[in-house]
């Protein structure tokens, strides 16, 4: 694992104009945009990890050796920037007083600031069976997590993934590519239930099983117990089944990290409450990324979080800006499984939807329409025109335009 070394802040008492708490992708992009828009003050970034700003989206591909350490590193925190910035890494913020504009770090240092940005990301949403720490029960949130999972997978023993969302599927496929047997359980009746429909889910299950992943739907972990061989797992539905895995990897969703904000009296709902300018109700306090709840919505995908960083950078540099209407969409990054989703996709096909299907080629393209407005889309087997489709979501389109988009053509 590479470490960020330049511009380290070593003083025990630090004064800064802008204090950024968190060293993830959101914070790194904010720094880049602050430099671009000409921020004039001093900036201090404090991050819990010894390395900051790397591309977490690539962690599964790092596991499968498709990307290197240098590919994973984000150059924003290494390249020269026209910005008075310093870093303090490998430490956490133990207390935050927004009224006094002070913070205390875990290494004993104190920080005085004028404005603060909370960009602390999210944590794994642990199922009841995993609430207590258990040796061999892991997640994939950080670079260190990826290194630890890589060491376990290198033994070639069976691993269990819990959760069939984007991260769970990408990580399971990455581990499978190393030659390690993989089982994945999902508590709902289909994979990616928040993003894709029943038919796309069936196609996805068939393809992943053909690749060698054992997938069990409608199942949950009942108990986890560490033993000399790894982790013994009892299942809730298949009560007679008990199996030992080298490790259990939790990919059960995430929850915004709000502990510091709540302790400081910063308003929170599910995430830290901010408006469309990324400002909290408290003056000089902002939030960004997975820990933020923007006008009632908590975003987990990179594209809308980068939009947040752009808006916040402009506001911190004196230009008024607000988050535009955001349509979330993404590609599943699993080799040989073309899948794209965007917007809202109901489980079943409606008579008004535009659907193209070729069962022989295992191609399925559905555009979800409601009162003449494109609300969502799922593309399996052929993702041609995905970006154009995403750009049309929440806009009125004619039946002929819907058909053109469904066939991967530009809307007339």
């Amino acid at each position: 694992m590479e470490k960020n070394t330049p511009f380290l802040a070593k003083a025990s008492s630090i004064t800064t104009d802008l204090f950024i708490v968190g060293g993830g992708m959101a914070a790194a992009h904010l720094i880049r945009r602050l430099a671009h828009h000409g921020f004039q003050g001093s900036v201090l970034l404090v991050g819990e990890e010894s390395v900051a700003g790397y591309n977490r989206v690539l962690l599964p591909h790092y596991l499968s050796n498709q990307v290197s350490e240098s590919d994973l590193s984000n150059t924003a925190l290494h390249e020269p920037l026209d910005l008075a910035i310093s870093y303090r890494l490998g430490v956490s913020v133990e207390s935050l007083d927004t009224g006094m504009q002070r913070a205390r770090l875990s290494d004993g240092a104190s920080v005085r600031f004028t404005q603060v940005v909370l960009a602390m990301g999210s944590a794994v949403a642990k199922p009841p069976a995993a609430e207590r720490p258990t040796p061999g029960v892991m997640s994939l949130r950080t670079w260190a997590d990826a290194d630890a999972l890589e060491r376990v997978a290198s033994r070639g023993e069976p691993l269990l993934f819990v959760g069939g969302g984007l991260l769970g599927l990408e990580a399971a496929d990455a581990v499978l590519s190393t030659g390690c047997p993989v089982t994945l359980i999902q508590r709902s009746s289909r994979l990616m239930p928040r993003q894709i429909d029943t038919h796309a889910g069936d196609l996805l299950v068939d393809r992943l099983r053909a690749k060698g992943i054992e997938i069990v739907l409608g199942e949950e972990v009942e108990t986890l117990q560490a033993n000399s061989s790894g982790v013994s797992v009892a299942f809730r539905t298949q009560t007679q089944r008990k199996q030992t895995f080298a490790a259990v990897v939790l990919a059960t969703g995430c929850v915004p990290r709000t502990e510091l904000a709540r302790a400081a009296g910063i308003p929170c709902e599910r995430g830290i409450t901010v408006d469309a300018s990324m400002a909290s109700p408290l003056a000089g306090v902002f939030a960004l990324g997975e820990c933020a709840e923007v006008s009632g919505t908590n975003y987990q995908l990179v594209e809308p979080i980068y939009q947040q960083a752009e808006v916040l950078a402009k506001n911190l540099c004196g230009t008024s800006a607000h988050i535009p209407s955001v349509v979330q969409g993404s590609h599943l990054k699993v080799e040989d499984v073309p899948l794209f989703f965007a917007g809202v996709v109901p489980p079943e096909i409606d008579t008004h939807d535009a659907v193209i299907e070729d069962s022989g080629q295992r191609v399925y393209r559905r555009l979800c329409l409601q009162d003449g407005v494109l609300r969502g889309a799922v593309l399996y087997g052929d993702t041609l025109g995905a970006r154009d489709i995403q750009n049309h979501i929440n806009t009125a389109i004619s039946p002929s335009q819907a058909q053109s988009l469904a066939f991967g053509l530009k809307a007339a």
Side-chain angles (χ1 to χ4, degrees), residues 134-138 148-161 175 179-183 224-233 235 243-250:
T134 302
V137 177
M138 316 170 70
L149 182 53
E150 184 180 42
R151 288 192 294 270
V152 174
S154 67
R155 289 153 41 189
E157 299 172 359
L159 265 68
L160 174 67
F161 285 79
V175 169
C180 185
V182 170
T183 298
L224 297 166
Q225 186 173 356
N227 59 36
S228 58
S229 301
V231 183
S232 176
V233 181
F235 297 91
Q243 189 172 350
T244 294
F245 297 89
V248 174
V249 184
L250 301 179

Side-chain angles (χ1 to χ4, degrees), residues 367-399:
L367 274 62
C368 308
L369 298 164
Q370 183 180 39
D371 299 326
V373 176
L374 179 60
R375 295 300 186 188
V378 56
L379 312 177
Y380 180 89
D382 174 12
T383 60
L384 181 66
R387 177 62 66 180
D388 196 34
I389 290 171
Q390 185 172 353
N391 290 339
H392 280 83
I393 288 180
N394 293 334
T395 65
I397 61 173
S398 67

Side-chain angles (χ1 to χ4, degrees), residues 98-329:
T98 59
M100 298 296 292
Q101 298 179 317
R102 292 180 180 176
R104 175 70 62 177
L105 307 186
S106 59
D107 62 359
S110 62
V111 178
R112 293 182 63 90
F113 57 85
T114 304
Q115 299 181 102
V116 60
V117 175
L118 302 177
M120 299 167 294
S122 59
V124 176
K126 295 182 179 180
E131 287 179 350
R132 292 184 178 181
T134 302
V137 177
M138 316 170 70
S139 60
L140 184 59
R141 300 294 300 168
T142 68
W143 195 329
D145 290 339
D147 285 337
L149 182 53
E150 184 180 42
R151 288 192 294 270
V152 174
S154 67
R155 289 153 41 189
E157 299 172 359
L159 265 68
L160 174 67
F161 285 79
V162 183
L166 275 174
L167 177 61
L169 297 179
E170 292 175 1
D173 183 69
V175 169
L176 181 74
S177 71
T178 67
C180 185
V182 170
T183 298
L184 183 143
I185 66 171
Q186 164 69 12
R187 68 178 180 179
S188 69
S189 60
R190 69 181 193 273
L191 298 177
M192 298 177 61
R194 296 183 180 179
Q195 293 93 12
I196 66 176
D197 63 15
T198 302
H199 188 53
D202 290 343
L203 292 168
L204 180 58
V205 166
D206 289 345
R207 180 67 189 114
L208 293 175
R209 284 174 174 163
K211 292 190 73 173
I213 299 176
E214 180 186 357
I215 295 177
V216 183
L217 300 174
E219 186 57 277
E220 296 180 71
V221 170
E222 180 68 25
T223 61
L224 297 166
Q225 186 173 356
N227 59 36
S228 58
S229 301
V231 183
S232 176
V233 181
F235 297 91
R236 181 158 298 177
T237 301
Q238 301 178 43
T239 55
Q240 301 303 312
R241 177 180 181 177
K242 197 165 187 179
Q243 189 172 350
T244 294
F245 297 89
V248 174
V249 184
L250 301 179
T252 42
C254 52
V255 292
R257 293 188 59 189
T258 60
E259 317 90 81
L260 180 66
R262 293 180 191 277
I266 300 169
C268 298
E269 293 295 334
R270 184 172 187 270
I272 301 168
T273 303
V274 294
D275 61 19
S277 69
M278 307 310 298
S280 95
L282 300 186
V285 179
F286 306 86
L288 174 70
E290 293 180 337
C291 69
E293 186 169 320
V294 187
S295 302
T297 302
N298 175 239
Y299 295 99
Q300 303 290 332
L301 298 177
V302 172
E303 186 173 344
I305 289 174
Y306 277 8
Q307 289 180 318
Q308 294 175 19
E310 173 68 13
V311 165
L312 180 53
K314 286 182 177 179
N315 284 310
L316 291 171
C317 292
T319 301
S320 179
H322 296 83
I323 291 289
S325 176
V326 175
V327 175
Q328 297 203 77

